Amino acid sequence: MKKAFKKKTKTQATTLPGDITHAQKIERMIRVDHAGECGAQRIYAGQLAVLGNSKSAKTIAHMARQEDTHLAAFEKLIVDKNVRPSALHPLWHIAGYALGYATASLGEKAAMACTVAVEEVIDEHYAAQLKQLGDNEPTLRKTIAQFRAEEIEHKQIGLNHKAEDLPYYSVLRAVIRAGSKTAIWLSERV
Ligand SMILES: [Fe+2]
Ligand SMILES: [Fe+2]
């Protein structure tokens, strides 16, 4: 009994009335990551619809395939851990595609600027989650760490494709960053 109490307090030591529990934190993480990976997959699908025959098509398809893997992993976690998906999931499905399609329509550099902006927010988001997890949930930690490394690779691909040369790069980046952060905040809660 004493041992069980000790074990419980280790993960919930800082839980105060009104705070969410460790289990709820994990559910939130899976919910938001599932929504985010859906959005990312749809961004690259939208980009490919426009740039499927361009010189960057192969590179975008490579990133799209990695997003497929990321999404599949979180879809499995949603089922295995019985987590409610974000109620806004259908919105991210449409908004992700629209964002990818719209930026690609502005040209390859705009598509790559979108990639940089989104992926840097996801990188920061996954870094924050890893910090929050600490030594807990080693399997989830490993998944997030692997995906984070690939999101960083995507961001670097965008930079290598001269995203920053886009004349309105700063504005587009700021707008997409703000939108992505809002989507994350909402998906954790709704
Ligand atoms: Fe991803
Ligand atoms: Fe990515």
Side-chain angles (χ1 to χ4, degrees):
M1 183 68 186
K2 205 175 175 184
K3 201 177 172 187
F5 176 75
K6 269 187 184 170
K7 198 175 177 186
K8 194 179 177 190
T9 52
K10 192 181 172 188
T11 52
Q12 298 183 349
T14 54
T15 303
L16 296 167
D19 285 356
I20 61 169
T21 64
H22 175 74
Q24 286 170 323
K25 275 183 195 164
I26 300 303
E27 275 185 34
R28 264 192 180 191
M29 281 187 189
I30 294 170
R31 180 178 303 120
V32 66
D33 294 353
H34 175 244
E37 294 297 353
C38 166
Q41 188 210 42
R42 295 291 290 162
I43 286 171
Y44 292 116
Q47 289 187 355
L48 280 172
V50 180
L51 298 171
N53 293 316
S54 71
K55 63 180 188 324
S56 47
K58 256 178 98 172
T59 306
I60 298 171
H62 160 73
M63 295 190 284
R65 277 194 302 276
Q66 286 181 320
E67 301 302 352
D68 287 344
T69 308
H70 299 178
L71 179 58
F74 280 107
E75 265 172 1
K76 189 171 184 310
L77 279 168
I78 283 269
V79 174
D80 290 352
K81 298 206 178 265
N82 202 20
V83 175
R84 172 184 65 74
S86 168
L88 299 171
H89 196 78
L91 176 62
W92 307 141
H93 194 79
I94 297 166
Y97 189 88
L99 179 62
Y101 192 95
T103 50
S105 299
L106 295 168
E108 286 183 32
K109 283 198 180 102
M112 290 298 172
C114 169
T115 294
V116 173
V118 169
E119 299 291 4
E120 67 184 5
V121 171
I122 302 178
D123 166 25
E124 290 160 12
H125 166 73
Y126 278 154
Q129 282 192 341
L130 289 171
K131 197 175 167 195
Q132 199 182 351
L133 281 172
D135 295 331
N136 296 313
E137 308 287 339
T139 309
L140 181 62
R141 235 192 105 78
K142 199 176 158 201
T143 300
I144 292 173
Q146 186 203 320
F147 294 174
R148 182 186 171 215
E150 290 170 359
E151 314 303 8
I152 292 170
E153 181 202 330
H154 298 170
K155 176 176 71 176
Q156 196 54 49
I157 286 171
L159 292 170
N160 293 349
H161 281 75
K162 303 194 186 307
E164 290 166 301
D165 289 355
L166 188 75
Y168 49 92
Y169 172 76
S170 300
V171 177
L172 188 65
R173 175 175 171 261
V175 169
I176 295 174
R177 272 185 68 87
S180 302
K181 284 184 171 188
T182 305
I184 287 171
W185 190 89
L186 284 169
S187 299
E188 281 174 336
R189 291 160 178 82
V190 184

